[in-house]
C-alpha cells in the first residue's frame, strides 16, 4: 500500500511564511521604536546562530530543524523592524527637523503640481536646505505648504525653488474623540510640518529640473483630464470619469461621494484592485482569443503585463494603482507557471515587496481592502458560485458577478465597519448594476483618450461615456434614497474587528470543509463577541461626559448621558453636513451616541449657567461685566467662546473657577493673552485649538 503524505497549505506558499514575520517586525518597530543598535545586535546575533547551525553535523541539523525555522522567523522579524526604522525619515541625519528652528529660512522645492482648495492652494515641497546665520545645510524631507489665494503672486509650479521665511508648524490632530488621525497619516507619508504662507512669506529663487518620470506622469494626467473635460458633458459625469480613469478626485461633489459610499460602491470612483482586476481579466480574455497570441502562454503573459502597466502609467501611477499592478503581476506570473494553488504565494510575494518598499502601507485602508477583497474572491467565490446551478447564460453571468461581490464583501465588511462605521445593506444590487456599467465606462474612457485627435468620433464617444456614468450616478442616488439601505453609526473596536474576522473564517471553514470543530469554535467566538457587545452597551449606559470639540471658528459642546447627547453650539454643526460629519460624528459613533435629545433631565440651563449632575458650567460668548462680591461664586468650568471682550482678572475676582476653557471660536492671539493672565493668577486653563478637544467625565 502506497503511503500518502499531506502537503500543508504553508508549504505551497513560502512567501507567506516570510511575509507574516516581516509584518510582525514592522508592527513591533512602529509601536516600540527600537534603536538601530538594538536592531543591528539582534540581526547579527541571529545571523551568527544561523551560520553556526549550518556548521553542525547533518544528524544534528535534522534533529534541530525546527530551531532553524525559529531563527529564520526571528531574523525576518528583525528585517521588518530594520526596514521600518530605515523608512522613518526622522532617523536620517539629513532630515530638516535636525537643523530647523524658528529663526531659519527654508529652501524648498515644489515636488508636485499645486492643488487649489477652497481658501488656499496646497502643495507638497521637499526641503532642500535650512539657512541660518548665513549658512546653508543641505537637508531632506517633505512639508505641506498652503499658499494664500489673495497673495497676488504667481502660484509656484512643480519644480520651483522657493525661499520661505515663516515658522513651520507641527502637523497635529483636532483631538476630537474618534477623529481621523491625520498626524499619523501625514507621518506615514514622511510629512511632519506645514506652513500657511502669505504674499511676503515666500519668494521664488530658481527652478530645479523636474524628475523626467514624474514630469511624464503629471503631463499624462493633465492631458487625459483635459481630454475628459473637453468631450464629456455634465459636471458630475466628467468628475466621475476623471476619478475612474486617473484617480483625480478634487472636483468630485461631496454629496455624490457620500451617495457612492452609502450605496457600497465608493470603490468605483477610486482606482483600486477592482479596476486593475477588470483590466487584467478582460486582457486575459482578449489575448486568449487572438489566433496568433493564444497559442503562446509567454506571449499572452508579456502582452497582458505590458498593457496592465501601460494602463497604470497612463492613469497617473498613483500608489493604489501601482499596488494593484504589482499584485496582479505576481498573480499573472503565478498563473503562468500553472500552479493555481500558488495564487496565495503570489499575493504574499507582492505584499512583501510592497511592504519592503513602504512598510507603512500596512496601515493603508486601500492596501488592506485590496488584499482582503482578492483573498475573499480566491477563497470563497468558487464555492459561492456553486450554490445555484443556472443554465441560462445571461442569468449565470449575473450570478457569477454577484458571487464575486459577495465573496469580496464577506472578507472586507469588518474592515469597512471599523474604518467607516457603516454597512451598505443593498451593496449586492448596487454592485450588480454599477460594476458592469463601470467596466463599460472605463474602457470607453480609454477609447476616448485613444481617439481624442479625431474630434467627431471623440465627441460621440464622450456622449456615450456621459450616458453610462449618468446611469451609474442615477442608480447610486436611487439606491441611496431607499429607506434602510444603510446601516449607519456602527462602532467596532480593533479587538471586535479581529473577533469578527475569526468568526467569519471559522464558519467559512466549517461550510467548506464540514469541520465540526470549526463550527464549535465559531459559536464560541460568537458568544464572546455578544458578551463584548453587551459589556460595551453597559459601559455606554454609565457614561456622563462633557466635550468641548475642536472645530475651527466654531463653538461645539456636547453634554452626554448614556447614549443621549444634548448639543450646544453653532447651528451649521447641528445639521448634517461636512463639518458635522468630519468633526462631531466620529466621536459620537465611538461613544455609541444615537439619540440627539432636545433636553437631558440632569442638565439645567439658566442664562448661560449650566448644571450637569454635580458640575457647574458657565458659557461666556458676549462681553460681560460682573461686580465683585464678598464671596466668590464657585464654578467648575468657565467656557469662553465667540471672542468676547473680557478680562480674566475681572472674572477671577467674581468666580472661583476650576478650569477656564477657551474654545476654537476664539482667535489664537486672544487666547494667548488670556493664557498669560491665567498663568500670572495661577489659574488652570485649557486651550482647545492648541491642546485638543476638552473631554471630562462627570
Amino acid at each position: 500500500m502506497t503511503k500518502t503524505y499531506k502537503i500543508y497549505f504553508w508549504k505551497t506558499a513560502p512567501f507567506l511564511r516570510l511575509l507574516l514575520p516581516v509584518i510582525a517586525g514592522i508592527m513591533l518597530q512602529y509601536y516600540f521604536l527600537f534603536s538601530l543598535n538594538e536592531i543591528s545586535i539582534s540581526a547579527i546575533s541571529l545571523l551568527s546562530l544561523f551560520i553556526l547551525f549550518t556548521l553542525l553535523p547533518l544528524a544534528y541539523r535534522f534533529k534541530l530543524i525546527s530551531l532553524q525555522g525559529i531563527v529564520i522567523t526571528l531574523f525576518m522579524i528583525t528585517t521588518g523592524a530594520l526596514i521600518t526604522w530605515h523608512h522613518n525619515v526622522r532617523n536620517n541625519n539629513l532630515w530638516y527637523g535636525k537643523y530647523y528652528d524658528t529663526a531659519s529660512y527654508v529652501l524648498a522645492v515644489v515636488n508636485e503640481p499645486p492643488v487649489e482648495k477652497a481658501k488656499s492652494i496646497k502643495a507638497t515641497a521637499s526641503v532642500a536646505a535650512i539657512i541660518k546665520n548665513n549658512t546653508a545645510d543641505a537637508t531632506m524631507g517633505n512639508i505641506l505648504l498652503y499658499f494664500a489665494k489673495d497673495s497676488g503672486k504667481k502660484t509656484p509650479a512643480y519644480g520651483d525653488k522657493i525661499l520661505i521665511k515663516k515658522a513651520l508648524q507641527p502637523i497635529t490632530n483636532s483631538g476630537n474623540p474618534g477623529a481621523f488621525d491625520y498626524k499619523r497619516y501625514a507621518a506615514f507619508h514622511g510629512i511632519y510640518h506645514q506652513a500657511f504662507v502669505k504674499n511676503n512669506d515666500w519668494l521664488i529663487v530658481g527652478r530645479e529640473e523636474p524628475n523626467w518620470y514624474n514630469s511624464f506622469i503629471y503631463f499624462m494626467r493633465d492631458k487625459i483630464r483635459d481630454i475628459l473635460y473637453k468631450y464629456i458633458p455634465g459636471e458630475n459625469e466628467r468628475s466621475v470619469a476623471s476619478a475612474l480613469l486617473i484617480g483625480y478626485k478634487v472636483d468630485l461633489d461631496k454629496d455624490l461621494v457620500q451617495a457612492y459610499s452609502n450605496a457600497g460602491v465608493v470603490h468605483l470612483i477610486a482606482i483600486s484592485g477592482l479596476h486593475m482586476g477588470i483590466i487584467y481579466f478582460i486582457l486575459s480574455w482578449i489575448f486568449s482569443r487572438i489566433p496568433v497570441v493564444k497559442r503562446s502562454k509567454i506571449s499572452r503573459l508579456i502582452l497582458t503585463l505590458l498593457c496592465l502597466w501601460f494602463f497604470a502609467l497612463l492613469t497617473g501611477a498613483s500608489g493604489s494603482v501601482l499596488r494593484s499592478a504589482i499584485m496582479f503581476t505576481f498573480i499573472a506570473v503565478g498563473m503562468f507557471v500553472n500552479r493555481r494553488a500558488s495564487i496565495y504565494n503570489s499575493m504574499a510575494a507582492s505584499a512583501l515587496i510592497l511592504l519592503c518598499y513602504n512598510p507603512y502601507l500596512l496601515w493603508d485602508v486601500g492596501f488592506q481592502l485590496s488584499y482582503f477583497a482578492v483573498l475573499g474572491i480566491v477563497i470563497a467565490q468558487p464555492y459561492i458560485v456553486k450554490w445555484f446551478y443556472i443554465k441560462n447564460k445571461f442569468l449565470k453571468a449575473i450570478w457569477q458577478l454577484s458571487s464575486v461581490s459577495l465573496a469580496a464583501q464577506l472578507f472586507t465588511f469588518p474592515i469597512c465597519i471599523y474604518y467607516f462605521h457603516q454597512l451598505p445593506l443593498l451593496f449586492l444590487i448596487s454592485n450588480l448594476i454599477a460594476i458592469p456599467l463601470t467596466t463599460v465606462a472605463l474602457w470607453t474612457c480609454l477609447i476616448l483618450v485613444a481617439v481624442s485627435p479625431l474630434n467627431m468620433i471623440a465627441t460621440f464617444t464622450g456622449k456615450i461615456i456621459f450616458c453610462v456614468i449618468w446611469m451609474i450616478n442615477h442608480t447610486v442616488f436611487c439606491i441611496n434614497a431607499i429607506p434602510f439601505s444603510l446601516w449607519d453609526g456602527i462602532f467596532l473596536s480593533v479587538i471586535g474587528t479581529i473577533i469578527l474576522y475569526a468568526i467569519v473564517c471559522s464558519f467559512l471553514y466549517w461550510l467548506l470543509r464540514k469541520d465540526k470543530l470549526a463550527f464549535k469554535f465559531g459559536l464560541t467566538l460568537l458568544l464572546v463577541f455578544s458578551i463584548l457587545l453587551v459589556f460595551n452597551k453597559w459601559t455606554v449606559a454609565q457614561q456622563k461626559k462633557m466635550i468641548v470639540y475642536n472645530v475651527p471658528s466654531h463653538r461645539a459642546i456636547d453634554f452626554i448621558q448614556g447614549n443621549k447627547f444634548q448639543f450646544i453650539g453653532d447651528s451649521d454643526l447641528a445639521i448634517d453636513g461636512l463639518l458635522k460629519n468630519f468633526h462631531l460624528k466620529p466621536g459620537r459613533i465611538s461613544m455609541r451616541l444615537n439619540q440627539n435629545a432636545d433636553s437631558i433631565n440632569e442638565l439645567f440651563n439658566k442664562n448661560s449657567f449650566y448644571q450637569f449632575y454635580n458640575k457647574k458650567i458657565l458659557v461666556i460668548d458676549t462681553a460681560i461685566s460682573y461686580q465683585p462680591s464678598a464671596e466668590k461664586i464657585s464654578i467648575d468650568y468657565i467656557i469662553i467662546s465667540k471672542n468676547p471682550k473680557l478680562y480674566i482678572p475681572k472674572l477671577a475676582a467674581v468666580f472661583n473657577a476650576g478650569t477656564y476653557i477657551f474654545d476654537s471660536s476664539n482667535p489664537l492671539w486672544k487666547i494667548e493673552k488670556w493664557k498669560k493672565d491665567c498663568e500670572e493668577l495661577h489659574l488652570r486653563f485649557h486651550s482647545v485649538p492648541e491642546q485638543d478637544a476638552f473631554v471630562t467625565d462627570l
Side-chain angles (χ1 to χ4, degrees), residues 53 56-65:
F53 182 86
L56 291 174
L58 183 60
Y60 285 100
R61 276 187 283 164
F62 183 77
K63 289 180 180 179
L64 300 175
I65 190 68

Side-chain angles (χ1 to χ4, degrees), residues 283-284 286-308 332 336:
L283 287 172
S284 300
I286 291 173
F287 291 136
S288 65
R289 279 157 178 77
I290 297 177
V292 179
V293 179
K294 70 177 182 179
R295 297 172 186 171
S296 172
K297 289 176 63 177
I298 186 65
S299 299
R300 294 205 305 269
L301 175 66
I302 291 172
L303 287 173
T304 300
L305 293 183
L306 284 174
C307 292
L308 196 68
F336 168 73

Side-chain angles (χ1 to χ4, degrees), residues 502-568:
I503 292 170
V504 170
C505 293
S506 298
F507 284 120
L508 185 63
Y509 191 80
W510 166 64
L511 287 172
L512 299 183
R513 299 296 176 90
K514 310 302 180 186
D515 190 302
K516 293 182 179 180
L517 184 61
F519 178 72
K520 293 177 182 178
F521 186 63
L523 287 178
T524 304
L525 289 173
L526 194 59
L527 177 62
V528 172
F529 189 73
S530 301
I531 293 171
L532 183 64
L533 292 179
V534 171
F535 175 76
N536 288 337
K537 193 170 183 180
W538 178 83
T539 305
V540 167
Q542 309 303 312
Q543 66 183 354
K544 308 175 190 69
K545 296 177 183 288
M546 181 185 74
I547 301 176
V548 182
Y549 292 97
N550 183 9
V551 184
S553 305
H554 288 77
R555 177 173 69 188
I557 307 169
D558 268 348
F559 291 98
I560 298 166
Q561 177 195 32
N563 66 344
K564 299 178 182 178
F565 66 93
Q566 184 172 340
F567 175 71
I568 297 170

Side-chain angles (χ1 to χ4, degrees), residues 642-660:
K642 295 296 181 181
N643 191 24
K645 185 179 180 181
L646 55 80
Y647 301 94
I648 298 296
K650 290 185 177 181
L651 278 179
V654 178
F655 298 103
N656 183 20
T659 305
Y660 287 83

Side-chain angles (χ1 to χ4, degrees), residues 512-637:
L512 299 183
R513 299 296 176 90
K514 310 302 180 186
D515 190 302
K516 293 182 179 180
L517 184 61
F519 178 72
K520 293 177 182 178
F521 186 63
L523 287 178
T524 304
L525 289 173
L526 194 59
L527 177 62
V528 172
F529 189 73
S530 301
I531 293 171
L532 183 64
L533 292 179
V534 171
F535 175 76
N536 288 337
K537 193 170 183 180
W538 178 83
T539 305
V540 167
Q542 309 303 312
Q543 66 183 354
K544 308 175 190 69
K545 296 177 183 288
M546 181 185 74
I547 301 176
V548 182
Y549 292 97
N550 183 9
V551 184
S553 305
H554 288 77
R555 177 173 69 188
I557 307 169
D558 268 348
F559 291 98
I560 298 166
Q561 177 195 32
N563 66 344
K564 299 178 182 178
F565 66 93
Q566 184 172 340
F567 175 71
I568 297 170
D570 295 340
S571 57
D572 54 346
L573 288 169
I575 58 175
D576 288 332
L578 186 62
L579 275 175
K580 176 183 174 182
N581 291 339
F582 184 79
H583 293 286
L584 308 186
K585 189 176 179 180
R588 290 171 179 172
I589 291 173
S590 68
M591 292 178 285
R592 289 80 156 178
L593 306 180
N594 53 29
Q595 293 188 39
N596 185 0
D598 293 331
S599 63
I600 295 176
N601 294 334
E602 285 72 15
L603 179 64
F604 301 98
N605 172 25
K606 188 174 182 180
N607 299 327
S608 297
F609 283 89
Y610 296 85
Q611 180 165 341
F612 192 42
Y613 289 93
N614 61 340
K615 300 295 183 181
K616 297 176 182 177
I617 302 115
L618 170 63
V619 179
I620 302 176
D621 56 8
T622 57
I624 58 172
S625 177
Y626 288 107
Q627 295 300 322
S629 58
E631 186 176 351
K632 291 184 180 181
I633 302 172
S634 294
I635 291 286
D636 293 288
Y637 303 105

Side-chain angles (χ1 to χ4, degrees), residues 247-404:
Y248 187 83
K249 294 175 278 190
V250 175
D251 297 333
L252 282 171
D253 180 71
K254 300 294 188 251
D255 293 332
L256 179 64
V257 174
Q258 189 62 51
Y260 269 77
S261 178
N262 294 347
V265 291
V266 71
H267 54 280
L268 299 181
I269 52 175
I271 298 180
S272 61
L274 172 68
H275 300 80
M276 298 303 289
I278 290 171
I279 296 292
Y280 169 71
F281 287 113
I282 291 180
L283 287 172
S284 300
W285 181 83
I286 291 173
F287 291 136
S288 65
R289 279 157 178 77
I290 297 177
V292 179
V293 179
K294 70 177 182 179
R295 297 172 186 171
S296 172
K297 289 176 63 177
I298 186 65
S299 299
R300 294 205 305 269
L301 175 66
I302 291 172
L303 287 173
T304 300
L305 293 183
L306 284 174
C307 292
L308 196 68
W309 280 95
F310 177 74
F311 172 76
L313 295 176
L314 189 69
T315 56
S318 65
S320 59
V321 172
L322 292 177
R323 181 175 65 242
S324 301
I326 290 172
M327 182 172 66
F328 279 101
T329 297
F330 274 88
I331 291 174
V333 172
M335 299 285 282
F336 168 73
V337 297
N338 200 26
R339 293 174 59 193
R340 291 186 174 273
S342 70
I343 189 169
Y344 304 106
N345 195 47
S346 301
M347 290 175 61
S350 65
L352 183 62
I353 287 177
L354 287 167
L355 291 176
C356 288
Y357 171 72
N358 181 4
Y360 296 134
L361 281 174
L362 188 63
W363 286 269
D364 185 85
V365 183
F367 178 86
Q368 296 172 14
L369 288 175
S370 293
Y371 278 93
F372 273 108
V374 174
L375 195 63
I377 293 169
V378 171
I379 294 174
Q381 193 272 341
Y383 296 93
I384 293 175
V385 78
K386 294 177 182 177
W387 286 354
F388 303 104
Y389 175 72
I390 302 172
K391 289 184 178 181
N392 185 281
K393 289 185 178 180
F394 178 71
L395 295 177
K396 185 177 181 180
I398 291 177
W399 171 238
Q400 286 177 334
L401 182 61
S402 302
S403 66
V404 170

Side-chain angles (χ1 to χ4, degrees), residues 374-440:
V374 174
L375 195 63
I377 293 169
V378 171
I379 294 174
Q381 193 272 341
Y383 296 93
I384 293 175
V385 78
K386 294 177 182 177
W387 286 354
F388 303 104
Y389 175 72
I390 302 172
K391 289 184 178 181
N392 185 281
K393 289 185 178 180
F394 178 71
L395 295 177
K396 185 177 181 180
I398 291 177
W399 171 238
Q400 286 177 334
L401 182 61
S402 302
S403 66
V404 170
S405 183
L406 272 172
Q409 193 73 23
L410 184 65
F411 274 63
T412 57
F413 84 90
I415 289 182
C416 291
I417 293 175
Y418 174 74
Y419 284 113
F420 308 119
H421 311 297
Q422 63 182 31
L423 183 64
L425 301 178
L426 299 179
F427 72 91
L428 193 59
I429 298 173
S430 55
N431 278 278
L432 192 62
I433 299 172
I435 288 179
L437 291 175
T438 301
T439 305
V440 174

Side-chain angles (χ1 to χ4, degrees), residues 152-171:
K153 268 187 174 183
K154 175 189 172 184
T155 303
Y158 171 53
D160 283 346
K161 283 185 178 180
I162 55 176
L163 188 65
I164 303 167
K165 180 51 180 161
K166 181 69 179 285
L168 300 180
Q169 302 296 324
I171 293 178

